[in-house]
Amino acid sequence: MNGPVWKLNQVTLSGRPRPRLADVSLEIGPGLTAVLGHSGAGKTSLLNLLVGFERPDSGKISESIERSSDRLPLYWCPPGDGLWPHLTVAQHVLAVLPPGGNPQTKTAELLAAFNLADKTGSYPDQLSQGECSRLTLVRAVASDARVLVLDEPLVHVDPAGSRKFWEPLRRYCGEESRTAVVFSTHSPEVVLREAQQVICLSEGRAVYSGSVQQLYYDPPNADLAWCLGPANWIGEGDLRTWLAGHTAGRRCYRPEEVAAQPATESPLVVKSTSFSGSVAELELLDERTGNTQRVFHRPAGNLLVAGQRVVLHVVALLLVALFLAGCTSASAEPQLSVRTTNSWMLPAEEAKIPTPRALHVGRHEELFVLDNAGRVLVYDLAGKLLRQWWMPDYSVGKPEKIFQLRDDRLVVADTHYHRVVFFDAQGNVLDKRGSLGHGPGEFIYPVAVVEDDDLNYYVCEYGDNDRIQK
């Protein structure tokens, strides 16, 4: 199915003291769609309408799920686990498996995938809440339904452990003939990692419905930007003052897109700072105007402290820029016409989706990408991930340039480690050259490497050196 699975037109569902859903109009298509919102936002009410458990008081819902005798059209996981108290774990799976094949083997495979292989004979009241959540999801996957509607799947499973239990569901959605999975959640991290489309609910109203990537990088307003985590929403008049290297027309910059670096001559002074995992928050004072601004960024190295002067600039994110700008410009200068565009998400790293810092098209139609997790990712030109490896060190800061030499070695400007690192095409370290300093062969912040026709290579630096070394 390529068209919408559901269409909602001005749907309202009554409630007290306000409607549970109010004038909701949207479409839900194939793939994974997340319904995101706080408790009481209307997530469960929306799912209840989709599966027909409730009917709207006004408006219209139309559904187009293929019906056939060989396959369930729809499977619904309601709030809570909805498990059958009189059946064992294995019997839950056997009860919903489609006919054919080897049901015992299939049951064993599914239970192993969800780490329930040692619970086959247990009943629901003998399971933990996390085990019940996993059994609920494995039963849904086992049903082989054309559409799954899941109300907060894996809600009782710890975030670190839940990632691997999404993988079987991901495989299910990726197979041919699958149509849609709609799931509710209150976790932005799950939406970013698992969904292609997202519906944001607030007080019973659909405040956003569309692409996850669009909402993350180009949200309509500041409130919606925060639906997917910390965001820097900067007024149009303040961009030049606060953020160097910004893109015309962009208002939202995510923490991984903003670098904050000490600078002795800057008018921006740190008033306070806090750190929570991978994101640091700065309160900055602009001495020129007396205005303050809160900034969220991903720290590289030691945390900044109150009283330090800093500069802010946009980290080079070429894939994001291409996605947002499409290589077009409003100027009268000559423009490059783009026939087709493609974009893809980088592979997740734990609960985060890293962003690209640099890319280079190599000698053999391979695309080399550096990301802000410290990885080198190698794709073919169609976007298929071929291989990946980690930089030797990356906790202090991430490199900013990769280049393939004519002998097929790869050289990386390892910016915050004051060196260049040489790899073979498979990611094995061949050599490391350079150290911190001002002399020949020493670097402050190497940021780019290129090669000339005579096989000399050139390293560009910024920092106190601000030079090119051959």
Side-chain angles (χ1 to χ4, degrees):
M1 177 182 293
N2 295 319
V5 181
W6 281 284
K7 289 184 178 180
L8 284 73
N9 184 22
Q10 296 182 317
V11 168
T12 295
L13 186 63
S14 63
R16 292 183 179 179
R18 59 169 176 79
R20 286 177 287 161
L21 293 173
D23 198 27
V24 173
S25 296
L26 53 85
E27 293 184 359
I28 299 175
L32 275 81
T33 299
V35 182
L36 178 66
H38 56 76
S39 296
K43 301 188 298 295
T44 295
S45 296
L46 177 59
L47 299 192
N48 287 348
L49 290 177
L50 297 183
V51 302
F53 184 70
E54 294 189 82
R55 298 195 179 280
D57 294 293
S58 63
K60 181 181 178 181
I61 300 177
S62 57
E63 168 248 282
S64 56
I65 303 174
E66 182 181 346
R67 258 64 175 179
S68 62
S69 59
D70 62 335
R71 198 165 169 205
L72 275 178
L74 175 70
Y75 193 97
W76 175 41
C77 289
D81 52 56
L83 299 175
W84 300 308
H86 63 294
L87 297 185
T88 65
V89 167
Q91 288 169 339
H92 273 80
V93 179
L94 290 167
V96 300
L97 278 176
N102 187 326
Q104 300 297 335
T105 299
K106 185 64 174 178
T107 298
E109 289 176 357
L110 286 168
L111 292 179
F114 286 87
N115 200 21
L116 290 170
D118 60 341
K119 302 292 182 180
T120 56
S122 300
Y123 290 90
D125 63 356
Q126 297 172 313
L127 303 177
S128 68
Q129 280 191 313
E131 289 165 343
C132 287
S133 289
R134 279 147 45 201
L135 178 56
T136 301
L137 191 54
V138 73
R139 182 179 59 174
V141 172
S143 73
D144 193 40
R146 296 187 185 277
V147 179
L148 300 182
V149 177
L150 313 174
D151 202 332
E152 298 206 36
L154 301 173
V155 65
H156 297 300
V157 180
D158 65 280
S162 69
R163 285 191 64 207
K164 65 180 179 181
F165 302 127
W166 278 93
E167 292 177 8
L169 181 61
R170 228 178 282 134
R171 292 197 299 269
Y172 169 88
C173 297
E175 295 173 4
E176 293 182 3
S177 78
R178 308 303 179 189
T179 55
V181 175
V182 183
F183 67 93
S184 64
T185 183
H186 58 269
S187 170
E189 291 80 8
V190 172
V191 175
L192 286 167
R193 192 178 66 237
E194 305 298 342
Q196 292 97 40
Q197 303 292 315
V198 61
I199 299 165
C200 298
L201 296 177
S202 178
E203 305 298 325
R205 296 185 178 275
V207 293
Y208 178 85
S209 178
S211 159
V212 172
Q213 192 174 28
Q214 187 77 32
L215 180 59
Y216 191 74
Y217 288 116
D218 191 23
N221 56 58
D223 289 340
L224 285 175
W226 273 86
C227 288
L228 292 182
N232 298 294
W233 186 268
I234 302 177
E236 291 182 2
D238 295 330
L239 280 170
R240 187 179 299 275
T241 301
W242 292 100
L243 193 58
H246 65 276
T247 301
R250 284 199 68 187
R251 301 285 299 280
C252 177
Y253 290 86
R254 297 292 174 175
E256 65 272 16
E257 298 181 88
V258 176
Q261 297 179 328
T264 55
E265 302 299 323
S266 174
L268 304 181
V269 181
V270 178
K271 292 187 66 178
S272 64
T273 181
S274 62
F275 178 62
S276 57
S278 61
V279 176
E281 178 182 352
L282 299 174
E283 183 184 9
L284 298 180
L285 169 68
D286 185 348
E287 290 183 329
R288 296 166 296 187
T289 63
N291 295 331
T292 60
Q293 177 87 25
R294 290 197 175 273
V295 175
F296 299 88
H297 71 109
R298 294 277 169 83
N302 295 328
L303 294 177
L304 299 169
V305 297
Q308 276 188 288
R309 296 182 180 275
V310 299
V311 292
L312 302 175
H313 62 86
V314 176
V315 175
L317 295 173
L318 182 55
L319 290 182
V320 173
L322 289 174
F323 165 73
L324 291 170
C327 296
T328 61
S329 169
S331 73
E333 297 297 323
Q335 297 181 18
L336 176 65
S337 175
V338 178
R339 184 170 57 194
T340 60
T341 60
N342 292 288
S343 62
W344 60 89
M345 298 295 289
L346 300 189
E349 168 55 23
E350 298 182 347
K352 302 184 291 294
I353 298 181
T355 53
R357 288 175 65 87
L359 58 82
H360 172 69
V361 179
R363 293 166 41 79
H364 307 293
E365 295 190 341
E366 292 180 326
L367 180 65
F368 298 92
V369 180
L370 297 176
D371 71 11
N372 66 349
R375 300 178 298 186
V376 180
L377 308 163
V378 187
Y379 295 88
D380 65 18
L381 298 187
K384 178 183 178 182
L385 182 62
L386 303 176
R387 57 193 182 275
Q388 63 176 300
W389 63 85
W390 292 90
M391 290 297 298
D393 306 282
Y394 48 86
S395 61
V396 172
K398 312 305 187 298
E400 295 197 10
K401 182 67 175 180
I402 184 168
F403 186 85
Q404 189 169 37
L405 304 174
R406 274 190 275 177
D407 61 6
D408 286 346
R409 289 181 300 162
L410 295 158
V411 57
V412 175
D414 202 359
T415 309
H416 298 276
Y417 288 86
H418 322 293
R419 65 191 178 188
V420 292
V421 180
F422 293 81
F423 298 93
D424 65 19
Q426 301 304 314
N428 300 304
V429 176
L430 301 176
D431 196 6
K432 301 176 185 177
R433 299 182 188 174
S435 59
L436 177 62
H438 301 276
E442 297 176 333
F443 307 107
I444 302 298
Y445 294 121
V447 292
V449 182
V450 295
E451 183 183 38
D452 68 14
D453 291 339
D454 297 323
L455 306 184
N456 301 301
Y457 71 93
Y458 298 77
V459 181
C460 299
E461 297 180 75
Y462 76 86
D464 292 338
N465 286 346
D466 293 325
R467 64 185 179 181
I468 300 173
Q469 294 194 66
K470 176 180 178 181

